[in-house]
Amino acid sequence: MNDRRPDRTRPTREPVPRARSGAFGHHFPRTGTEPVTAQSALGLRLLLAAVFLPLFTAAAVLFGIWAAQSGPGESPGRGPLVTLTVVCALLALATATDLTVVLRRLRRERGTRRGTAARRGTTT
């Protein structure tokens, strides 16, 4: 009887199917009625992150400049503008994090890493 398990300590270069690309989803057995081939909408998440990252970043910068230039007694006051600046900056940070996660998952599904083809001397 052979009880040896396959060696999973070495990273593989094979593409990972989208059904297993999540960080948590493949560790637990399916318990609901979701389809076996359910996929995350990575393309939509990529599009939304690409649109909203510059939007939230620009809004944070503009609200920050506006807050810095606002004087006492002006409406809106400095407090609400600083709050809007912080909220937009946090949303930009969350969007950048999501963009990084989506790009990493898409790269893992394709089975390539940035620059690996160039290091091996092949072209893609």
Side-chain angles (χ1 to χ4, degrees), residues 40-55:
S40 173
L42 292 178
L44 179 62
R45 285 176 60 189
L46 179 65
L47 175 70
L48 289 172
V51 168
F52 283 104
L53 178 60
L55 183 76

Side-chain angles (χ1 to χ4, degrees), residues 34-82:
E34 70 273 4
V36 176
T37 59
Q39 297 181 358
S40 173
L42 292 178
L44 179 62
R45 285 176 60 189
L46 179 65
L47 175 70
L48 289 172
V51 168
F52 283 104
L53 178 60
L55 183 76
F56 288 139
T57 304
V61 168
L62 291 175
F63 282 130
I65 292 171
W66 189 7
Q69 293 178 350
S70 67
E74 290 186 11
S75 182
R78 178 176 252 148
L81 291 174
V82 169

Side-chain angles (χ1 to χ4, degrees), residues 71-118:
E74 290 186 11
S75 182
R78 178 176 252 148
L81 291 174
V82 169
T83 302
L84 283 172
T85 301
V86 170
V87 167
C88 287
L90 289 175
L91 287 171
L93 179 66
T95 305
T97 304
D98 188 48
L99 183 62
T100 304
V101 168
V102 168
L103 289 174
R104 183 178 297 154
R105 285 185 184 176
L106 286 173
R107 199 169 31 240
R108 187 170 53 179
E109 285 175 9
R110 292 184 189 125
T112 60
R113 284 195 180 163
R114 197 173 6 161
T116 55

